[in-house]
Amino acid sequence: MVTTHNLGFPRIGAKRELKFGLERYWKGESSRDELKALGAQLRARHWDQQKGLDLAPVGDFAFYDQVLDMSFTLGNLPARVQGFHGDKLDNYFRVARGRSAAGAEEHAACCGGVAAGEMTKWFDTNYHYIVPEFTADTQFNLDFSRLSGQLREAQALGVKVKPVIIGPLTYLWLGKAKDDSDKLALLPRLMAVYRALLSHLNAVGVEWVQIDEPILVTELEPAWREAFASAYEGFEVRSVKLLLATYFGQLKENLDLACSLPVDGLHIDAINARDEVARAAQKLPAQSVLSVGAINGRNIWKTDLNAALEWLAPLAQQLGERLWIAPSCSLLHVPVDLASEAKLDAEIRSWLAFALQKLDELQVLAAALNGRRDQVADALAANAAAIAARRNSPRVNNPAVKAAIARIDAALGKRQHAYAERAPKQSAILNLPAYPTTTIGSFPQTADIRHARSEHKAGRLDDAGYQVAMRREIERSVREQEALGLDVLVHGEAERNDMVEYFGEQLNGYAFSQFGWVQSYGSRCVKPPILFGDISRPQAMTVAWITYAQSLTNKPMKGMLTGPVTILNWSFVRDDQPRSVSCYQLALAIREEVLDLEKAGVRVIQIDEAALREGLPLRRAQWGEYLRWAVESFRIAANGVQDETQIHTHMCYSEFNDIIASIADMDADVITIETSRSDMELLDAFDNFRYPNEIGPGVYDIHSPNIPTQEHIVALMQKAAERVPAGRLWVNPDCGLKTRQWAEVIPALTNMVAAAKVLRSQAQ
Ligand code: GLN
Ligand code: ZN
């Protein structure tokens, strides 16, 4: 008999109950007990929904983040929140967000305001965790209360429990040594706490523990590989069984290591590492469990169950009881329930599976593998029909798009001439001063804008009325920018709710869910659009708005588009073709839009690639391949224009050092980037690499309500001018202004424009 289990369940709730509960609590609209009760209620519901499994995860629920939970379990709290007098949950929120609920800050006087923990991406997902903080002196101290509480709840409900913890090496690797000390030196101290944790788990009747070590799918330095062996030997004497869980990639050179560690089972992500399953089955010790992640935990497509059975059945024969099956990783990365999607096109819905449907699929696989194939014959036949329908659907396959992809050649991504020849032609037309000023695209999304959008969506405001409302907002943005004296204007993006959704909604090949929310961090969720078919653009998407905006002013108006790589990286993507092909398709669609804008007389076109860096593979060895097609996609989208048309791109991060050459290869005339928060330190990349075109290093941190002073901006730009020739510098904010208020934006941009004038006068 194969065993079924799950690595983790989405905790936000099918209707985002946790999000709303958290936000109510933080605003002081509900009590701590109410929030805790909501947590218990969600856990109970989620275990109930997993009751068909042989083992269900416990400890995967987190009020904010599972890594932060682990920091509390290990007693690793930053010094600045130690000695907090209030409730532990409030202290937890203080680390997560710098503050807790309004009503819980009665200790503010004695415990002060604190800096929030740093947040960063969880491997190559769009989930963000709170980075553990270490120093050479960090001491650990087991706090078993969270896990023991959740185990008690689960056991009372009759759940067959499998607690989930982050393994010691991954925990250290995810953290940051604030004093630059060697994190690995903490391992002996940390192991003592892990050993205590395991014996506590044993004492409360736990048999299996899932210990997550996803760093095994990355390229590890020798010291880390050696640390694995020594750390896990430290677990040798124990009474609970350990399932070592890896996911998000192939183990490659770490496969032998993973198979040789003294644990009782190994989980492999068979979506990414199918080819390693058989090898692991061979290498694992004779009594070890092999858990196979046969269902994609990162995507929303139905599994081809018949195909999966074809390779799982022989494995079940070979391994017998030792075979476990599960989703490839925690289901945290997919929405909860497809059943809520009443408005989704029925055909497309029939191709999809969210978390609950994925667990159903697991049951079907288990039944078939456990000799009950006839009981699931209908389910298997229905699955086969859905898979075939999707494969053959004319909505998925568009021969014209496939032909266009086949015609792509190197010439498509090339500008007419090199930057040095284009630049004078552009400046002859644009006639810009030195240190030209511009913004990144969006202006504040006011209550009026949001109201008009929701009324339009609900059908209470007709298209004409909506257009009037949006034109009013565009006009307001243009007038404000003219009054401010900016040089290159934007229309303000009032009509866009989201920079990816806006384009997805107008392209063929995209679908949108109503409740397909996925946690991004804390209470923040995103609803990635679903890229299901060959991409085509039935009509222009932005031209009418931009030409309207241009008609209001004599200053150059920037056309504003989202780039193909960013659209791809923020969507659920197809699993039936490589990401690169989907990206090229998006590139061709955006290219058509670029050319239409140019034809309409738009002289400056910005193509945002905010998510280019996010797509980098976990293994550095694979970066080159990704960057090759990502950069080529951008070039295809952007570079069909005349020399005279100025192409901008924007990226809102600036860890550029390792990809700067690829960014230069994109060959945009101007790139605007985030730099203000680091005082231009991020321009270090430009010390060793001469970026050949123009750069706008952000001088206004749009994440903060602070208004930068004119002097501060001048000083930042002077620093920038040490690295980039002044003649190629632009003056602009770090990113779009949609989350700010006009009352903040106007003084900030006033200072920015004044700073540019100072810089110009100094340059003379
Ligand atoms: N043009 C977009 C805006 O200004 C860019 C957003 C982003 O880079 N995330 O809102
Ligand atoms: Zn940005």
Side-chain angles (χ1 to χ4, degrees):
M1 297 286 270
V2 309
T3 293
T4 54
H5 73 115
N6 184 20
L7 278 67
F9 195 84
R11 54 223 174 198
I12 205 78
K15 298 274 171 339
R16 287 184 293 163
E17 294 89 331
L18 183 58
K19 170 196 174 67
F20 299 119
L22 285 168
E23 289 171 1
R24 270 197 306 276
Y25 178 61
W26 293 336
K27 274 191 239 151
E29 292 167 10
S30 72
S31 72
R32 190 185 303 127
D33 287 342
E34 280 171 293
L35 179 63
K36 288 183 177 174
L38 172 67
Q41 190 193 330
L42 285 169
R43 289 191 291 270
R45 186 206 295 166
H46 298 159
W47 284 321
D48 185 55
Q49 288 170 324
Q50 298 175 87
K51 65 174 179 280
L53 298 174
D54 295 319
L55 288 168
V58 176
D60 56 334
F61 177 88
F63 274 112
Y64 201 95
D65 164 43
Q66 75 267 15
V67 180
L68 186 59
D69 275 2
M70 201 64 205
S71 289
F72 272 70
T73 297
L74 298 170
N76 178 30
L77 313 194
R80 63 185 181 279
V81 301
Q82 282 173 20
F84 177 65
H85 296 114
D87 188 87
K88 217 185 285 175
L89 185 61
D90 290 320
N91 208 18
Y92 171 90
F93 289 138
R94 288 157 66 84
V95 184
R97 339 170 32 239
R99 61 200 183 283
S100 186
E105 291 293 278
E106 70 260 30
H107 298 283
C110 51
C111 304
V114 293
E118 195 182 313
M119 200 166 60
T120 195
K121 274 160 62 73
W122 175 247
F123 296 90
D124 60 350
T125 72
N126 191 27
Y127 177 80
H128 301 72
Y129 71 92
I130 304 286
V131 177
E133 297 174 30
F134 306 118
T135 65
D137 303 325
T138 297
Q139 298 292 332
F140 302 98
N141 231 317
L142 180 64
D143 178 349
F144 190 51
S145 57
R146 172 186 59 93
L147 268 172
S148 74
Q150 294 185 19
L151 278 162
R152 257 197 317 275
E153 284 171 22
Q155 285 162 331
L157 293 166
V159 177
K160 288 155 276 179
V161 298
K162 180 198 56 179
V164 180
I165 59 177
I166 296 170
L169 275 310
T170 294
Y171 180 75
L172 282 179
W173 190 86
L174 292 171
K176 195 164 170 180
K178 289 284 173 180
D179 55 358
D180 283 328
S181 58
D182 175 19
K183 292 187 280 181
L184 275 180
L186 298 172
L187 189 59
R189 262 178 254 165
L190 183 60
M191 286 308 294
V193 178
Y194 269 89
R195 279 192 295 269
L197 173 58
L198 295 192
S199 55
H200 276 72
L201 288 169
N202 176 54
V204 296
V206 165
E207 184 189 2
W208 276 97
V209 176
Q210 173 186 320
I211 187 158
D212 287 2
E213 292 284 13
I215 62 166
L216 283 166
V217 308
T218 68
E219 289 138 327
L220 293 174
E221 282 167 26
W224 285 82
R225 291 164 49 91
E226 282 152 29
F228 258 102
S230 63
Y232 278 77
E233 265 149 35
F235 283 143
E236 220 140 22
V237 185
R238 64 171 183 274
S239 21
V240 289
K241 294 182 180 158
L242 293 181
L243 177 73
L244 181 74
T246 68
Y247 38 81
F248 299 151
Q250 297 174 303
L251 288 153
K252 292 201 184 233
E253 72 283 5
N254 298 325
L255 180 64
D256 284 354
L257 172 67
C259 290
S260 68
L261 294 175
V263 291
D264 306 278
L266 174 67
H267 174 85
I268 288 191
D269 173 341
I271 300 301
N272 285 297
R274 244 294 285 293
D275 53 325
E276 291 180 340
V277 171
R279 285 177 33 227
Q282 240 158 33
K283 286 176 195 278
L284 280 173
Q287 60 296 347
S288 274
V289 159
L290 177 59
S291 166
V292 174
I295 288 170
N296 196 333
R298 298 268 302 262
N299 216 328
I300 38 64
W301 302 107
K302 271 188 176 152
T303 309
D304 184 342
L305 296 175
N306 295 281
L309 282 172
E310 234 164 79
W311 64 271
L312 282 171
L315 199 65
Q317 284 276 316
Q318 181 194 341
L319 296 176
E321 301 263 311
R322 292 167 51 214
L323 178 65
W324 291 17
I325 56 172
S328 58
C329 59
S330 168
L331 296 175
L332 180 64
H333 311 289
V334 292
V336 178
D337 189 3
L338 187 65
S340 338
E341 298 296 333
K343 286 197 185 152
L344 192 64
D345 176 285
E347 186 182 6
I348 290 165
R349 196 177 56 206
S350 73
W351 305 335
L352 302 179
F354 290 178
L356 291 179
Q357 290 69 41
K358 286 172 187 286
L359 294 177
D360 291 343
E361 292 184 338
L362 198 62
Q363 303 289 4
V364 175
L365 288 178
L369 293 171
N370 288 338
R372 290 183 283 114
R373 203 170 178 129
D374 43 333
Q375 283 175 26
V376 290
D378 288 351
L380 287 173
N383 176 266
I387 300 289
R390 179 178 161 214
R391 188 176 299 134
N392 302 321
S393 168
R395 296 175 67 189
V396 172
N397 305 291
N398 179 340
V401 175
K402 294 209 156 71
I405 294 292
R407 280 196 306 271
I408 290 178
D409 61 14
L412 206 61
K414 274 219 181 78
R415 294 288 298 256
Q416 292 177 304
H417 294 99
Y419 167 77
E421 271 179 74
R422 306 189 304 255
K425 297 189 197 171
Q426 291 166 16
S427 62
I429 289 182
L430 296 173
N431 204 11
L432 297 171
Y435 292 99
T437 55
T438 190
T439 62
I440 306 303
S442 56
F443 273 109
Q445 290 256 332
T446 59
D448 281 355
I449 298 179
R450 284 198 298 271
H451 180 72
R453 187 180 305 117
S454 63
E455 291 291 293
H456 183 232
K457 223 172 183 159
R460 288 187 293 266
L461 179 65
D462 64 10
D463 289 353
Y466 177 71
Q467 200 184 36
V468 170
M470 292 302 119
R471 284 186 165 213
R472 203 164 39 223
E473 295 295 338
I474 290 172
E475 180 162 11
R476 171 180 188 183
S477 297
V478 172
R479 295 293 163 246
E480 297 286 9
Q481 292 173 85
E482 287 193 315
L484 284 161
L486 287 153
D487 299 308
V488 174
L489 311 195
V490 297
H491 77 297
E493 300 181 28
E495 80 290 6
R496 300 181 195 177
N497 153 42
D498 175 278
M499 64 190 281
V500 169
E501 192 169 88
Y502 178 77
F503 291 94
E505 275 174 348
Q506 300 185 74
L507 291 169
N508 292 328
Y510 260 105
F512 293 84
S513 67
Q514 250 183 305
F515 303 104
W517 297 99
V518 178
Q519 193 176 11
S520 172
Y521 63 88
S523 67
R524 253 299 263 281
C525 299
V526 294
K527 190 152 62 73
I530 300 168
L531 197 171
F532 69 87
D534 289 337
I535 293 295
S536 60
R537 188 195 69 139
Q539 61 199 26
M541 304 182 280
T542 63
V543 177
W545 297 118
I546 305 297
T547 49
Y548 170 69
Q550 180 69 81
S551 75
L552 301 172
T553 177
N554 294 323
K555 294 266 177 100
M557 176 64 55
K558 264 197 284 196
M560 193 59 60
L561 303 171
T562 304
V565 187
T566 297
I567 298 182
L568 182 86
N569 285 343
W570 286 345
S571 301
F572 281 122
V573 295
R574 293 171 66 168
D575 59 353
D576 58 348
Q577 70 185 18
R579 292 173 82 84
S580 56
V581 175
S582 298
C583 200
Y584 286 134
Q585 293 186 357
L586 288 162
L588 290 176
I590 299 297
R591 178 187 176 90
E592 290 176 15
E593 187 72 16
V594 167
L595 295 178
D596 276 354
L597 282 168
E598 183 182 55
K599 217 181 297 162
V602 179
R603 293 275 157 240
V604 184
I605 300 171
Q606 177 174 315
I607 307 172
D608 292 326
E609 283 294 16
L612 181 102
R613 200 175 203 291
E614 284 183 19
L616 283 173
L618 282 175
R619 284 179 175 269
R620 240 170 208 271
Q622 292 157 3
W623 282 22
E625 164 66 8
Y626 164 76
L627 288 168
R628 194 186 52 70
W629 59 255
V631 168
E632 187 56 21
S633 296
F634 178 87
R635 293 175 60 110
I636 290 170
N639 290 354
V641 295
Q642 305 294 307
D643 282 347
E644 287 75 7
T645 300
Q646 188 170 69
I647 295 288
H648 289 217
T649 189
H650 163 70
M651 295 175 190
C652 28
Y653 47 80
S654 31
E655 306 103 59
F656 281 129
N657 280 296
D658 40 11
I659 56 167
I660 182 92
S662 299
I663 288 175
D665 269 352
M666 291 162 64
D667 200 20
D669 297 299
V670 182
I671 181 169
T672 56
I673 56 178
E674 171 186 321
T675 38
S676 72
R677 273 192 285 189
S678 73
D679 280 348
M680 299 283 147
E681 246 169 52
L682 294 161
L683 288 182
D684 284 355
F686 298 88
D687 279 346
N688 307 321
F689 183 91
R690 302 252 125 233
Y691 185 75
N693 306 357
E694 292 160 48
I695 304 182
V699 291
Y700 166 17
D701 175 9
I702 60 91
H703 303 95
S704 150
N706 299 337
I707 312 291
T709 63
Q710 175 190 314
E711 294 70 32
H712 181 65
I713 296 173
V714 169
L716 285 176
M717 290 304 300
Q718 284 166 341
K719 266 193 170 175
E722 290 167 11
R723 291 168 163 108
V724 179
R728 290 202 254 121
L729 281 172
W730 286 63
V731 185
N732 49 261
D734 270 345
C735 192
L737 298 165
K738 74 178 192 190
T739 56
R740 300 258 62 95
Q741 313 275 321
W742 277 109
E744 300 159 336
V745 163
I746 289 182
L749 295 180
T750 302
N751 295 348
M752 191 182 92
V753 171
K757 290 192 176 136
V758 171
L759 291 160
R760 283 169 206 156
S761 67
Q762 286 175 353
Q764 274 163 12

